[in-house]
């Protein structure tokens, strides 16, 4: 039915002498069993479209590319847009590196085109429009939590010009992700959630996970290896880590049905490729786990500095689904051995100190490589109500002072903009680098407190971008047909790969007034005034008269008789 | 939307006077123990969607997130019946205002239409003078006020004035106002605009009570009035002819413990002739015509620029993600203007000269 619909649409269009902009849709799912027993599932849906959003005649015919995002790109002259919604925190030490990193909460960073004259106004409008599209409170992004990084967040797409005045970055660590964010996200896909891999995206299972992140990435990419023309790429990604011990399974075995409560029955008819990859690098002879139904397709890819082997299930082939017409992968674990490769770069952050006046932010970065050192770029965006004392900033590695080769600091302005601190630090091999800075907590005005101020205030995650040395040669030929999970970050040199890590967000308590105080004061004051002053006034101004008590009935009758007789009353 | 094709009797079409339906559903309470208010709002949302009002015509405001709250033992679900029978959150839900955005100011702005220009369409109430609007409020309330998020209140006077603004701006044809809070009847006492019908779950001086707790989730799931209203609405389908008098009878004192109240004196039509689907559903009326209409020519696609013919001389490339040497030699931009250095020197010279002028020239020879 989809094909017939498409055919009718094609026939009612312009005569074939004018070429249609070509668009292409691919979907893939990578499943990687982790050493801690969890399963990491990464969905990527990519739509490529060679069209030009920036020309004067507006693009009017949308096919696979969603119209709402296309209109956003052309109206706000967006060069790149990256938005992610995450619930949970990625545990690098237990799970390794994710394919697409994201911080807890919502994160939005946008590169605008050079033609934009007022970037701040465009940014404000863009956040409002996106809050409507994704049903999120992105309208809380304003100048108090937006920063303009000077060296981090270089464009991930095509472009030589990198004037950072066209870049804006904001994060909302408090933002909640739930089905109302997944629903519009799913509606952006060409097949929706009705066919292909997106049928597995059931909210009841996805949000019952240790980590869930959904993102949209829009950028320009090379069309082919010559890279003379570009096309727009829209990637929608979902990264989830499921903890199967959580759901009460005693045996270590899982299947697509257990994870997603659905099985796969067909590929999306509009997709040119629809594949399912299972990471079997740690299982070369089948001694760790057993995979069924078996497949003979294998593929190797270099991703995150390592060469991994994958079993591939091609959903566009009828044979993958077998006679039951549905694919339910089953993995049965046999042994518990095997150690995970320690990630080379790892970071933590916490608040030290006591009381509600001062504190200290500590950021720890671990370089686990035995003999190579590499540079990291640390980006910290601290809200204005934590007043940083930059003169107490210290960076130490192995106990000695480690002077950063580049520091960019923009001080905050109360209620206008946050602190921005960017540093390029060289991490020595096999060491821990500690960055500490002291701060003082500000007292907010009483209208600026949220309705639940005793929860605390969030400080967004630090972003650590780094070029980590890789154990195998990375593939720099970025325009060849590669699986989607290995082609997200562009690769310029073979010996290292780019990685971005987010630390934990911080939760700090600010000195919170007692909001019931005005009411209590008014009650107490009025009571004191009424009781105290009122009593005093009465004592001073009242005059007392003696009053005869009322005589009884018998006495009254006797008095009446005595009056009649002329005798004085009783 | 359901289509009612009524042939040959145009007078029957517009007997109710409305052409589109809107719903504004607000839950004003925060914190996990107010789970039932979110469940109330979501159950009305579910009924309204089921009877045909699309998401684009519903403004749903939930002050806190219960479904993905970390205390929820079944994430992404909000149940209305114990033993988890009915998940009113569902798989297809769009919340327009959530969390801290649910404030009195935003609620009144939505009603009166005075929103900042960059507000997206899904957050606006784009009703016209032929819209029937359903407004449902739930939360904690008192005599004459409704509490928003434990930090502010909306009073019945403000609400009545907002409705009057809506009437003067012709933003509704008929309005149905339902409120499920303690002492809810006090909220509709002050209405004075025409064409408003109001229902409340309890009278002044009475508390609205909650229905039943669920032992697995640990909180009360629904309020009584909305629970019985949901049961009543589950029997309604888009073609049903049930009218408002049946809705007034929902939840008598024996079931609700409080006495539900209603107010119809401002409403022009007789409640017995008002269908439930006039407010809860989105019944579209279709007019058949036998005349032929000429369509204009289809829009021709603009000619593509001959990109294929011309050779692109420029080769694109990806940007370097961490260009270390470039970053180290990057000069930070001077944003603030500093006065030139000579200015400071000149200023001090001037000050010194003035000093010596006033206090006598004899000091000057010690300097020069």
């Amino acid at each position: 039915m989809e094909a017939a619909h498409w055919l009718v649409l094609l026939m009612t269009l312009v005569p074939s002498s004018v070429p249609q902009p070509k668009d292409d849709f691919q979907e893939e799912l990578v499943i990687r069993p982790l050493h801690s027993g969890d399963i990491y599932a990464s969905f990527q849906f990519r739509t490529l479209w060679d069209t030009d959003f920036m020309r004067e005649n507006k693009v009017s015919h949308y096919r696979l590319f969603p119209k709402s995002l296309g209109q956003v790109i052309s109206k706000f002259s967006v060069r790149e847009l990256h938005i992610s919604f995450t619930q949970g925190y990625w545990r690098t030490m237990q799970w390794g590196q994710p394919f697409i990193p994201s911080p807890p909460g919502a994160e939005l960073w946008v590169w605008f085109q050079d033609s934009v004259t007022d970037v701040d106004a465009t940014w404000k409008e863009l956040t409002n429009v996106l809050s409507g599209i994704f049903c999120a409170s992105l309208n809380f992004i304003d100048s108090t939590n937006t920063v303009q990084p000077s060296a981090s967040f270089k464009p991930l797409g095509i472009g030589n010009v990198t004037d950072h005045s066209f870049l804006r970055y904001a994060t909302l660590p408090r933002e909640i992700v739930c089905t109302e964010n997944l629903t519009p996200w799913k509606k952006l896909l060409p097949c929706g959630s009705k066919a292909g891999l997106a049928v597995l995206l059931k909210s009841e299972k996805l949000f019952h996970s240790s980590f869930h992140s959904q993102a949209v990435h829009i950028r320009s990419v090379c069309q082919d290896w010559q890279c003379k023309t570009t096309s727009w790429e829209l990637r929608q990604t979902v990264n989830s880590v499921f903890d199967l011990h959580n759901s009460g399974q005693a045996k270590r075995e899982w299947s697509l049905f257990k994870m997603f409560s659905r099985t796969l029955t067909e590929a999306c008819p509009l997709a040119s490729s629809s594949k399912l990859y299972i990471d079997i690098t740690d299982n070369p002879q089948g001694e760790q786990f057993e995979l069924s139904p078996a497949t003979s397709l294998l593929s190797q890819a270099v991703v995150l500095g390592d060469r991994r082997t994958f079993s591939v299930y091609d959903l566009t082939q009828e044979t993958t689904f077998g006679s039951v017409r549905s694919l339910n992968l089953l993995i049965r674990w046999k042994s518990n051995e095997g150690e995970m490769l320690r990630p080379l770069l790892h970071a933590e952050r916490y608040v030290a100190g006591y009381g509600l006046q001062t504190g200290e932010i500590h950021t720890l970065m671990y370089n686990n490589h035995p003999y190579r050192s590499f540079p990291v770029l640390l980006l910290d965006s601290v809200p204005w109500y934590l007043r940083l004392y930059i003169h107490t900033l210290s960076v130490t590695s192995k106990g000695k002072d480690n002077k950063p080769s580049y520091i960019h600091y923009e001080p905050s302005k109360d209620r206008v903009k946050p602190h921005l601190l960017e540093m390029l630090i060289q991490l020595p091999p096999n060491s821990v680098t500690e960055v500490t800075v002291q701060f003082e907590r500000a007292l907010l005005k009483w209208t600026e407190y949220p309705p639940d101020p005793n929860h605390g205030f969030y400080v967004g995650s630090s972003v650590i971008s780094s070029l980590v040395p890789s154990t195998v040669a990375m593939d720099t030929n970025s325009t060849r047909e590669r699986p989607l999970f290995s082609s997200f970050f562009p690769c310029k040199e073979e010996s290292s790969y780019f990685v971005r890590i987010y630390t934990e967000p911080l939760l700090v308590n600010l000195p919170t007034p007692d909001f019931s105080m005005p009411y209590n004061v008014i009650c107490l004051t009025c009571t004191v005034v009424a009781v105290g002053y009122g009593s005093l006034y009465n004592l001073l101004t009242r005059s007392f008269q003696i009053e005869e008590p009322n005589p009884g009935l018998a006495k009254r009758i006797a008095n009446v008789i005595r009056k009649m007789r002329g005798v004085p009353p009783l | 939307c359901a289509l009612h094709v009524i042939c040959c009797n145009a007078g029957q079409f517009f007997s109710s006077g409305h052409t589109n339906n809107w719903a504004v559903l607000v839950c004003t309470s925060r914190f996990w123990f107010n789970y039932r208010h979110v469940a109330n709002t979501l159950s009305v949302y579910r009924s309204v969607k089921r009877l045909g009002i699309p998401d684009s015509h519903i403004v749903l405001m939930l002050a806190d997130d219960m479904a993905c709250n970390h205390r929820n033992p079944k994430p992404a679900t909000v149940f209305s019946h114990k033993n988890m029978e009915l998940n009113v959150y569902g798989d297809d839900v769009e919340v327009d205002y959530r969390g801290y955005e649910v404030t009195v100011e935003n609620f009144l702005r939505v009603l009166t239409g005075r929103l900042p220009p960059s507000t997206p369409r899904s957050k606006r109430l784009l009703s016209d003078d032929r819209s029937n609007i359903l407004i449902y409020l739930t939360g904690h309330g008192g005599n004459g006020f409704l509490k928003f998020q434990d930090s502010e209140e909306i009073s019945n006077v403000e609400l009545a004035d907002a409705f009057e603004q809506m009437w003067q701006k012709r933003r509704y044809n008929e309005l149905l106002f339902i409120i499920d809070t303690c002492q809810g009847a006090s909220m509709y006492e002050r209405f004075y605009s025409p064409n408003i019908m109001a229902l409340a779950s309890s009278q002044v001086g009475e508390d609205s009570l909650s229905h039943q707790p669920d032992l697995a989730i640990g909180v009360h799931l629904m309020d009584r009035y909305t629970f019985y209203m949901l049961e009543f609405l589950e029997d309604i389908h888009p073609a049903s002819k049930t009218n408002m008098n049946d809705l007034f009878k929902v939840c008598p004192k024996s079931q609700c413990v409080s006495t539900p109240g209603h107010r119809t004196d401002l409403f022009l039509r007789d409640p017995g002739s008002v269908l439930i689907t006039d407010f809860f559903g989105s019944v579209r009326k279709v007019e058949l015509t036998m005349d032929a209409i000429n369509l204009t020519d289809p829009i021709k696609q603009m000619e593509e620029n001959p990109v294929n013919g011309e050779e692109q001389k420029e080769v694109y490339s990806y940007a370097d993600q961490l260009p270390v040497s470039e970053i180290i030699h990057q000069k930070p931009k001077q944003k603030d203007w500093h006065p030139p250095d000579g200015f400071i020197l000149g200023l001090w010279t001037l000050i010194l000269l003035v000093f010596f002028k006033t206090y006598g020239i004899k000091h000057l020879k010690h300097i020069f």
Side-chain angles (χ1 to χ4, degrees):
Chain A
M1 199 203 67
E2 306 277 349
H5 182 73
W6 180 76
L7 216 62
V8 164
L9 206 64
L10 186 62
M11 286 193 301
T12 53
L13 276 177
V14 190
S16 54
S17 60
V18 178
Q20 289 290 321
K22 293 192 311 299
D23 48 5
D24 175 57
F25 175 65
Q26 295 171 350
E27 53 179 18
E28 77 174 29
L29 165 61
V30 180
I31 295 185
R32 181 200 278 187
L34 300 169
H35 281 264
S36 49
D38 307 323
I39 310 287
Y40 171 34
S42 169
F43 292 80
Q44 283 207 34
F45 302 92
R46 179 173 85 160
T47 309
L48 278 175
W49 197 19
D50 359 328
T51 180
D52 187 7
F53 283 113
M54 296 302 132
R55 63 170 189 204
E56 287 87 42
N57 309 321
K58 292 199 199 148
V59 179
S60 55
H61 177 58
Y62 288 86
R63 192 177 145 248
L64 296 177
F65 202 92
K67 184 172 179 186
S68 48
L69 291 181
Q71 288 181 329
V72 161
I73 297 174
S74 49
K75 180 161 184 226
F76 298 109
S77 305
V78 165
R79 183 174 148 195
E80 261 191 43
L81 188 143
H82 301 269
I83 182 168
S84 72
F85 298 97
T86 311
Q87 171 208 65
Y89 175 65
W90 183 270
R91 301 182 191 285
T92 316
M93 288 304 276
Q94 285 140 349
W95 300 340
Q97 292 282 1
F99 294 123
I100 316 261
S102 53
E107 186 204 41
L108 171 66
W109 57 281
V110 177
W111 274 92
F112 290 96
Q113 302 274 0
D114 309 355
S115 53
V116 174
T117 44
D118 188 355
V119 182
D120 286 317
T122 320
W123 168 254
K124 186 88 188 109
E125 278 190 42
L126 176 65
T127 51
N128 275 314
V129 165
L130 288 175
S131 84
I133 295 178
F134 291 106
C135 287
S137 330
L138 295 176
N139 45 322
F140 283 130
I141 292 179
D142 55 8
S143 64
T144 58
N145 48 22
T146 308
V147 290
Q148 185 185 311
S150 64
S152 313
F153 290 104
K154 296 260 183 252
L156 286 174
I158 304 287
N160 293 329
V161 178
T162 55
D163 182 2
H164 279 257
S165 62
F166 292 102
L167 168 65
R168 292 289 182 271
Y169 172 81
T171 158
L172 292 172
R174 187 77 199 268
E175 192 66 17
I176 299 165
V177 190
C178 209
T179 314
E180 66 245 22
N181 304 110
L182 189 62
T183 307
W185 188 96
K186 283 197 285 193
K187 288 183 183 165
L188 296 173
L189 295 169
C191 280
S193 53
K194 302 201 174 25
L197 289 170
V199 300
L200 298 177
L201 297 174
K202 286 278 161 238
S203 56
E204 286 177 10
K205 290 288 185 176
L206 277 182
F207 292 106
H208 198 42
S209 56
S210 311
F211 177 84
H212 171 80
S213 166
Q214 60 197 60
V216 171
H217 300 275
I218 302 177
R219 57 178 180 165
S220 310
V221 292
C222 295
Q223 252 177 48
D224 51 17
W225 64 275
Q226 280 174 326
C227 210
K228 294 236 170 95
T229 44
T230 63
S231 53
W232 283 91
E233 177 194 79
L234 163 69
R235 271 192 203 228
Q236 289 180 255
T237 65
V238 170
N239 286 313
S240 286
V241 175
F242 294 96
D243 182 5
L244 277 129
H245 297 293
N246 202 12
S247 46
Q249 313 292 335
K251 315 183 281 245
R252 281 182 71 175
E253 101 177 3
W254 57 263
S255 64
L256 277 186
F257 189 76
K258 272 193 193 153
M259 266 166 65
F260 299 108
S261 71
R262 286 290 303 264
T263 59
L264 292 167
T265 49
E266 56 166 346
C268 173
L270 300 169
S272 61
S273 108
S274 175
K275 293 207 170 84
L276 176 56
Y277 293 87
I278 315 283
D279 189 338
I280 54 168
T281 322
D282 304 319
N283 192 35
Q285 262 80 44
E287 71 273 355
Q288 273 238 321
F289 55 81
E290 178 200 322
L291 182 63
S292 73
T295 177
S296 54
L297 283 174
L298 286 179
S299 117
Q300 282 209 337
V302 180
V303 61
L304 296 173
D306 200 11
R307 184 174 298 278
R308 315 286 298 182
T309 318
F310 297 89
S311 291
V312 183
Y313 293 83
D314 191 348
L315 299 176
T316 48
Q317 309 290 331
E318 280 289 323
T319 51
T320 324
F321 298 106
S323 52
V324 293
R325 302 259 185 84
S326 99
L327 176 65
N328 183 18
L329 276 176
L330 196 65
I331 288 195
R332 239 177 250 110
W333 286 85
K334 288 190 196 158
S335 72
N336 264 352
E337 292 145 21
E339 276 218 352
M340 187 184 71
L341 202 63
R342 252 191 353 161
L344 291 175
L345 177 62
H346 164 59
E348 285 173 355
R349 193 166 74 143
Y350 56 88
V351 172
Y354 60 90
L356 284 177
Q357 186 167 1
T358 53
E360 214 171 275
I361 299 182
H362 289 246
T363 311
L364 273 74
M365 293 181 283
Y366 296 83
N367 177 357
N368 293 324
H369 201 283
Y371 52 85
R372 292 273 299 273
S373 72
F374 49 83
V376 298
L377 189 56
L378 172 66
L379 170 78
D380 249 323
S381 160
V382 179
W384 64 267
Y385 40 80
L386 294 189
R387 304 212 163 98
L388 295 181
Y389 292 134
I390 291 294
H391 71 277
T392 58
L393 176 68
S394 81
V395 182
T396 50
S397 310
K398 290 183 179 173
K400 291 193 300 230
D401 216 17
N402 183 353
K403 191 163 147 51
S405 24
Y406 169 80
I407 301 186
H408 175 76
Y409 174 64
E410 270 180 37
S412 69
K413 245 192 195 168
D414 271 7
R415 300 176 179 86
V416 172
K417 61 185 188 107
H419 299 269
L420 172 67
L421 177 62
E422 266 186 281
M423 296 193 287
L424 183 67
I425 307 171
Q426 192 82 1
L427 298 184
N430 210 10
S431 68
V432 181
T433 305
E434 186 168 345
V435 179
T436 59
V437 63
Q438 288 181 4
F439 65 87
E440 182 191 60
R441 300 169 211 234
L443 191 61
L444 299 178
K445 295 184 185 167
W446 74 285
T447 46
E448 289 172 344
Y449 286 96
D452 51 351
N454 291 302
H455 181 88
F457 290 78
Y458 281 88
V459 177
S461 315
S462 302
V463 187
I464 296 169
S465 322
S466 168
L467 278 174
V468 179
S470 103
T471 48
V472 298
M474 299 294 292
D475 192 357
T476 55
N477 195 349
S478 57
T479 52
R480 222 177 36 176
E481 279 298 324
R482 290 202 298 183
L484 295 177
F485 58 86
S486 62
S487 60
F488 185 63
F489 287 114
C491 204
K492 286 264 177 165
E493 49 169 0
E494 287 188 354
S495 57
S496 55
Y497 63 98
F498 178 74
V499 78
R500 191 172 277 145
I501 293 189
Y502 294 91
T503 62
E504 299 96 324
L506 302 174
L507 185 60
V508 292
N509 266 319
L510 291 185
T512 309
D514 180 8
F515 292 100
S516 60
M517 188 272 284
Y519 170 75
N520 292 339
V521 166
I522 293 173
C523 282
L524 191 65
T525 316
C526 290
T527 310
V528 166
V529 166
V531 171
Y533 175 70
S535 315
L536 200 63
Y537 178 80
N538 280 336
L539 281 172
L540 291 176
T541 55
R542 238 181 237 172
S543 62
F544 293 92
Q545 293 164 342
I546 299 178
E547 193 183 281
E548 294 285 314
N550 254 346
L553 187 61
K555 251 198 182 159
R556 268 194 276 163
I557 297 174
N559 276 338
V560 166
I561 297 172
R562 283 172 88 97
K563 207 163 49 171
M564 285 195 319
R565 279 171 60 195
V567 173
L570 288 169
Chain B
C1 57
L3 298 172
H4 275 229
V5 178
I6 306 176
C7 206
C8 317
N9 199 348
Q12 230 182 346
F13 284 155
F14 303 110
S15 59
S16 70
H18 75 280
T19 57
N20 55 72
N21 283 80
W22 287 82
V24 179
L25 311 173
V26 185
C27 159
T28 60
S29 303
R30 175 167 277 276
F31 304 124
W32 174 246
F33 49 83
N34 290 321
Y35 182 101
R36 58 189 189 279
H37 297 138
V38 173
N40 289 350
T41 317
L42 285 172
S43 54
V44 177
Y45 172 76
R46 174 205 145 79
S47 311
V48 148
K49 257 181 102 160
R50 192 176 54 83
L51 292 172
I53 303 187
D55 269 316
S56 55
H57 282 227
I58 302 178
V59 178
L60 179 61
M61 304 171 84
L62 296 180
D64 201 359
D65 172 63
M66 298 303 164
C68 289
N69 196 317
H70 299 294
R71 290 181 172 89
N72 194 347
K74 305 261 296 175
T77 58
V78 173
F79 292 107
S80 61
H81 288 61
K82 76 172 177 194
N83 299 329
M84 304 185 192
E85 283 164 22
L86 180 60
N87 174 15
V88 288
Y89 195 56
D91 218 9
D92 184 11
V93 56
E94 287 184 19
V95 181
D96 302 304
Y97 288 85
R98 55 187 207 154
Y100 296 131
E101 292 179 289
V102 180
T103 58
V104 174
E105 184 190 339
N106 281 347
F107 175 58
L108 292 177
R109 280 185 187 277
V110 164
L111 287 183
T112 53
R114 295 183 179 184
L115 290 158
S118 50
T119 316
R121 282 181 75 100
S122 57
K123 286 186 168 177
R124 287 179 189 260
L125 179 63
L126 298 166
S127 55
D128 51 32
D129 63 323
R130 286 251 172 248
S131 310
N132 273 13
I133 308 184
L134 165 71
I135 297 186
Y136 178 81
L137 294 175
T138 182
H140 288 289
N143 190 355
F145 68 91
L146 170 63
K147 199 166 68 157
F148 266 69
Q149 292 210 47
D150 215 15
S151 67
E152 49 182 2
E153 305 93 34
I154 185 173
S155 64
N156 48 5
V157 178
E158 281 178 344
L159 197 55
D161 287 339
F163 286 159
E164 176 63 15
Q165 272 196 49
M166 285 174 79
W167 173 250
Q168 293 195 1
K169 289 165 91 165
R170 298 288 178 262
R171 281 171 68 78
Y172 70 90
N173 175 40
E174 283 168 350
L175 205 138
L176 177 63
F177 175 77
I178 305 182
I179 183 161
D180 187 351
T181 62
C182 303
Q183 308 194 47
S186 62
M187 289 302 284
Y188 61 63
E189 274 170 2
R190 300 291 191 117
F191 291 166
Y192 54 95
S193 318
N195 276 351
I196 301 186
M197 195 187 317
L199 278 110
S201 60
S202 56
Q203 302 290 337
V204 175
E206 285 180 354
D207 285 339
S208 285
L209 300 178
S210 60
H211 190 238
Q212 51 185 337
D214 180 291
L215 295 176
I217 299 180
V219 285
H220 285 259
L221 294 182
M222 283 272 270
D223 278 333
R224 283 176 187 247
Y225 182 72
T226 312
F227 181 82
Y228 290 109
M229 196 169 77
L230 174 67
E231 276 193 3
F232 170 78
L233 288 173
E234 289 284 296
D235 291 331
I236 310 278
H237 55 91
S240 84
K241 295 281 172 207
T242 334
N243 56 39
M244 279 297 166
N245 283 332
D246 302 318
L247 189 59
F248 294 156
K249 294 200 203 94
V250 159
C251 209
K253 195 165 165 95
S254 53
Q255 282 176 329
C256 252
V257 184
S258 58
T259 319
H262 54 92
R263 181 180 174 175
T264 53
D265 56 314
L266 295 165
F267 206 73
L268 289 178
R269 295 193 285 151
D270 170 43
S273 69
V274 179
L275 299 176
I276 300 281
T277 51
D278 278 351
F279 288 102
F280 284 88
S282 179
V283 176
R284 302 288 186 84
K285 296 179 169 60
V286 165
E287 187 181 318
L288 287 181
T289 174
M290 296 299 167
D291 304 324
I293 298 174
N294 281 333
L295 297 172
T296 54
D297 287 328
I299 303 169
K300 286 223 170 44
Q301 190 84 356
M302 299 299 300
E303 288 281 326
E304 290 275 336
N305 288 336
V307 164
N308 315 329
E310 197 183 294
E311 282 280 317
Q312 282 286 346
K313 299 284 167 31
E314 197 187 337
V315 175
Y316 297 103
S317 64
Y318 290 100
D320 203 354
Q321 290 300 304
L322 194 69
V324 176
S325 52
E326 200 184 295
I327 291 173
I328 292 176
H329 295 123
Q330 189 175 322
K331 277 202 176 45
K333 288 181 272 285
Q334 282 278 13
K335 290 247 181 65
D336 298 307
W337 175 80
H338 296 284
D341 300 318
F343 176 73
I344 307 287
L345 259 177
L347 191 67
W348 276 110
T349 320
L350 184 65
I351 291 171
L352 278 172
L353 274 175
V354 168
F355 167 74
F356 286 121
K357 267 275 196 221
T358 41
Y359 290 106
I361 224 129
K362 59 181 194 301
H363 299 284
L364 203 57
K365 66 173 191 274
H366 295 286
I367 313 286
F368 294 111

